[in-house]
Amino acid sequence: MSLSVEQLFEHLWQQYIQINPQAEKIQQLLEQRGETIINDHIALRTFNTKKLGLVNIADSFIRRGYKVIDEYDFSKKKLNAIHLEHVDNINHPKVFISELRTELFSENLQNIIAQIDAQITEEEVAQELFITSGRTWNLSFEQYIQLLRESEYAAWTAAFGYRANHFTVSLNHLTTFFNLEDLNNFLLQHGFVLNDTAGSIKGTPQQYLEQSSTMAAPVNLEFDHSTHVIPGCFYEFAKRYPLPETGRLYQGFITASADKIFESTNN
Ligand code: NI
């Protein structure tokens, strides 16, 4: 293991801003105001096959001082998820990893995922930069559309492969914005488009977590025989509230709000 945890996040960030340059622009705008960005969390997506399941994706982080803190069940989206935190440094982003429960979908979807799985070896999954390897398998636009009809998540993951789906700015660490409304207004004034599914802010102070996000930037993506413009990655913003018992900021995720945030990559 040669990469530090910081280097791993830097690889993920550089790969992310290549297809989501709006995140870099927003970061620059915030830095021009004198802000220093701390990431609340990043999110990764995978399929629940033996080789690609979230346990294997989590390994890169566990080997670098992370541990699994909680597990989630997104029954509507048919996903399992976990979140990990760094044991020693709370300023390292939390890592949210989800996996599609492929067995709950059609035989056709399961066949497409099995074809993807067959094109990746266990050795590749074990490489330390596997989580930034992108798409290394064949995929036709027809297959993408077939996946999209059943699961936006499946289609996105098949099209973009291994990379961060989003980074998330921690509003608690910003000094010139006190709430998400102010930050959202600032972004709207600068011409960014926000995800308005169920209002631009998901979650409430009573749930100890509020989040908003940009809509995913369109990406010109190459498929087997053609190139198409499809939604890529979004940038997220999170404000956490202290728990009454401990006074510590809530560190978990709300399944109902995350269902809406997953829709940031909808067409
Ligand atoms: Ni998120």
Side-chain angles (χ1 to χ4, degrees):
M1 188 179 78
S2 55
L3 286 176
S4 68
V5 64
E6 291 85 356
Q7 288 170 321
L8 186 63
F9 282 114
E10 184 58 20
H11 276 279
L12 284 162
W13 173 256
Q14 291 302 330
Q15 183 195 28
Y16 170 72
I17 59 174
Q18 275 199 351
I19 65 165
N20 188 20
Q22 64 179 345
E24 191 179 29
K25 283 190 201 121
I26 291 169
Q27 188 180 66
Q28 285 165 358
L29 281 170
L30 293 174
E31 284 172 355
Q32 281 162 16
R33 285 170 65 103
E35 299 285 8
T36 302
I37 311 293
I38 297 287
N39 286 299
D40 179 86
H41 66 274
I42 67 157
L44 300 165
R45 295 176 169 190
T46 192
F47 301 108
N48 71 341
T49 67
K50 184 166 175 285
K51 213 185 297 169
L52 303 175
L54 57 75
V55 173
N56 299 326
I57 304 304
D59 201 49
S60 281
F61 298 97
I62 290 169
R63 280 186 285 150
R64 291 179 174 79
Y66 274 79
K67 80 171 191 201
V68 178
I69 300 294
D70 214 347
E71 297 182 359
Y72 306 86
D73 170 4
F74 293 91
S75 51
K76 193 173 143 217
K77 302 278 180 199
K78 300 174 183 164
L79 305 171
N80 303 315
I82 56 173
H83 107 247
L84 301 96
E85 292 176 20
H86 197 274
V87 174
D88 304 319
N89 187 342
I90 54 161
N91 279 342
H92 285 319
K94 288 175 278 298
V95 175
F96 182 88
I97 308 174
S98 53
E99 64 178 13
L100 189 74
R101 292 183 203 149
T102 51
E103 71 281 3
L104 300 180
F105 292 88
S106 73
E107 207 170 306
N108 183 48
L109 180 143
Q110 292 182 49
N111 284 338
I112 296 172
I113 305 309
Q115 283 171 38
I116 290 172
D117 184 76
Q119 293 174 65
I120 306 168
T121 64
E122 277 176 31
E123 290 69 34
E124 283 169 324
V125 177
Q127 283 171 12
E128 60 179 350
L129 282 176
F130 176 70
I131 56 170
T132 65
S133 59
R135 166 153 58 90
T136 55
W137 49 86
N138 296 314
L139 186 76
S140 68
F141 188 62
E142 290 68 31
Q143 287 175 317
Y144 171 79
I145 293 296
Q146 287 168 23
L147 294 176
L148 193 59
R149 287 200 189 107
E150 290 190 57
S151 162
E152 179 281 328
Y153 180 104
W156 187 94
T157 309
F160 289 102
Y162 291 94
R163 56 172 62 251
N165 171 266
H166 59 271
F167 275 68
T168 309
V169 175
S170 167
L171 193 115
N172 299 78
H173 290 85
L174 298 182
T175 56
T176 63
F177 296 96
F178 298 107
N179 53 47
L180 275 183
E181 286 88 348
D182 291 347
L183 178 60
N184 287 350
N185 286 334
F186 173 80
L187 296 173
L188 291 169
Q189 279 161 20
H190 282 89
F192 295 99
V193 182
L194 301 180
N195 172 0
D196 271 330
T197 310
S200 62
I201 296 177
K202 283 80 187 166
T204 63
Q206 291 73 34
Q207 292 172 309
Y208 309 109
L209 174 62
E210 293 178 312
Q211 299 192 93
S212 63
S213 73
T214 64
M215 284 307 279
V219 178
N220 205 17
L221 198 72
E222 245 179 76
F223 291 90
D224 284 354
H225 309 292
S226 55
T227 301
H228 295 268
V229 177
I230 64 168
C233 296
F234 56 91
Y235 203 20
E236 196 168 87
F237 314 95
K239 180 174 182 183
R240 294 182 180 277
Y241 290 85
L243 292 167
E245 310 86 65
T246 60
R248 272 195 73 218
L249 293 179
Y250 173 69
Q251 295 297 317
F253 295 87
I254 313 285
T255 51
S257 313
D259 265 348
K260 299 290 183 298
I261 286 278
F262 277 120
E263 284 156 24
S264 302
T265 49
N266 279 8
N267 275 292

